[in-house]
Amino acid sequence: MNSAQLIDGKAAAARVLQQVKVDVASMVADGIQPCLAVVLVGEDPASQVYVRNKILRAEECGIRSLEYKLADDIGEDELLELIRRLNADREVHGILLQLPLPAHIEETLALQAIDPGKDVDGFHSENVGGLSQGRTVLTPCTPSGCMQLLHDTVGDLSGKHAVVIGRSNIVGKPMAALLLQAHCSVTVLHSRSQNAAALSRQADIVIAAVGRPRMIDASWLKPGAVVIDVGINRITEGERSRLVGDVDFDSALPVVSAITPVPGGVGPMTIAFLMKNTLIAAQLQAKTHAKSEAPCPSIS
């Protein structure tokens, strides 16, 4: 039986966070405190857990965190006004608007209101467009974390055939763009794809991000493929509830060369790259402010 490598997302995230902590300390020594503002609208229990974990990680990295808990019935204009204030605050370097939002608030409008330079989720259209053009921008945290896991596991990705299963704006599309930047040949599979399993079997790398528990089994995978499972699905078996991925882990394990477990794979990387994006945003803003405040050369 093939002995597949389990890709340890917890260990990889710890390495990312440790480097962020070192770099944040260097900025603090220079008089700049990286700061992340987290905006939570409503009482969604899962969102509250996510926000709590993000703030905890920020504190561990030395990043100052600001939390804004807003009522479920807050007006759209009120939320947009808060975002405008955070955009204008030079002591705030990153803004995270926790999704989902209540139905009466237009999600796209709220996300577009965030300054692209403070958009640590990488969802603003300016950052999305920049990513597709290969420019250096803030990129979505989950795909960025997946890329780190792939580089750690595979090394040079140039020339590899990567299949992305799922085409969401949050994972699938930016994942494909990042893989293209790494010089992969990229195929994106989705609900309208024909012969999806056969196409997936051609891939050296499979990114599963479709949101359907255990949909991808061994019949979708080429022997020796590297599998990154982004899915986090809660299922009930008997009286027990547990988390599984989009990949049928037990079926895939004898076939693949490396695979992320669920939980403990991609999940920890998402928060780690949120911290890294906050640091990057702070560094870029510090450079911009330094240039804008530099004295003009005198003319004699």
Side-chain angles (χ1 to χ4, degrees):
M1 181 180 286
N2 177 49
S3 180
Q5 173 190 351
L6 291 186
I7 301 172
D8 189 343
K10 290 182 180 178
R15 292 192 293 271
V16 172
L17 290 168
Q18 179 56 36
Q19 186 59 56
V20 169
K21 187 175 181 178
V22 169
D23 293 342
V24 166
S26 177
M27 287 197 77
V28 171
D30 290 337
I32 300 170
Q33 173 84 63
C35 176
L36 173 66
V38 182
V39 180
L40 173 63
V41 183
E43 303 289 335
D44 181 72
S47 292
Q48 290 179 339
V49 171
Y50 294 149
V51 165
R52 191 158 55 243
N53 287 339
K54 290 166 183 175
I55 289 174
L56 180 63
R57 291 293 171 271
E59 290 171 353
E60 290 173 355
C61 291
I63 295 171
R64 179 181 172 223
S65 61
L66 303 174
E67 185 178 4
Y68 296 86
K69 290 184 176 180
L70 308 178
D72 190 67
D73 60 354
I74 188 172
E76 189 173 79
D77 288 344
E78 261 186 283
L79 174 60
L80 295 177
E81 177 55 32
L82 171 61
I83 292 171
R84 280 191 286 270
R85 290 203 311 270
L86 295 173
N87 285 342
D89 188 342
R90 284 178 51 164
E91 293 189 359
V92 172
H93 303 100
I95 302 170
L96 184 146
L97 179 60
Q98 182 64 44
L99 303 178
L101 296 173
H104 68 280
I105 295 176
E106 187 182 337
E107 187 175 289
T108 301
L109 183 66
L111 292 173
Q112 286 294 107
I114 298 172
D115 181 337
K118 298 187 178 188
D119 169 36
V120 288
D121 266 331
F123 293 162
H124 192 285
S125 61
E126 188 170 315
N127 288 328
V128 173
L131 172 60
S132 70
Q133 293 175 337
R135 291 191 280 117
T136 300
V137 293
L138 294 170
T139 56
C141 303
T142 298
S144 298
C146 291
M147 290 301 295
Q148 183 68 57
L149 293 177
L150 284 172
H151 286 302
D152 290 349
T153 304
V154 179
D156 183 14
L157 304 181
S158 181
K160 302 290 185 185
H161 179 203
V163 162
V164 180
I165 306 174
R167 54 177 172 177
S168 72
N169 290 333
I170 293 174
V171 179
K173 291 175 183 176
M175 189 78 240
L178 287 168
L179 287 163
L180 281 170
Q181 280 189 14
H183 309 298
C184 291
S185 299
V186 182
T187 302
V188 179
L189 302 179
H190 47 79
S191 59
R192 304 291 180 90
S193 297
Q194 297 181 9
N195 304 315
L199 290 168
S200 179
R201 275 196 303 275
Q202 299 174 19
D204 305 303
I205 295 165
V206 173
I207 312 292
V210 71
R212 293 179 58 185
R214 297 173 175 161
M215 189 186 95
I216 295 101
D217 61 18
S219 69
W220 289 62
L221 303 171
K222 180 171 77 172
V226 174
V227 176
I228 305 293
D229 191 350
V230 181
I232 301 177
N233 311 285
R234 186 168 292 280
I235 64 167
T236 301
E237 294 177 329
E239 296 181 357
R240 195 164 66 100
S241 173
R242 70 190 187 99
L243 295 176
V244 299
D246 291 348
V247 176
D248 185 343
F249 184 83
D250 293 338
S251 168
L253 199 60
V255 177
V256 302
S257 63
I259 186 170
T260 54
V262 176
V266 173
M269 297 297 285
T270 298
I271 292 183
F273 270 81
L274 173 63
M275 299 304 118
K276 185 169 182 176
N277 274 358
T278 303
L279 169 67
I280 291 169
Q283 291 170 332
L284 291 173
Q285 288 164 52
K287 287 180 183 177
T288 300
H289 294 151
K291 286 180 182 178
S292 67
E293 292 171 358
C296 295
S298 58
I299 301 174
S300 56

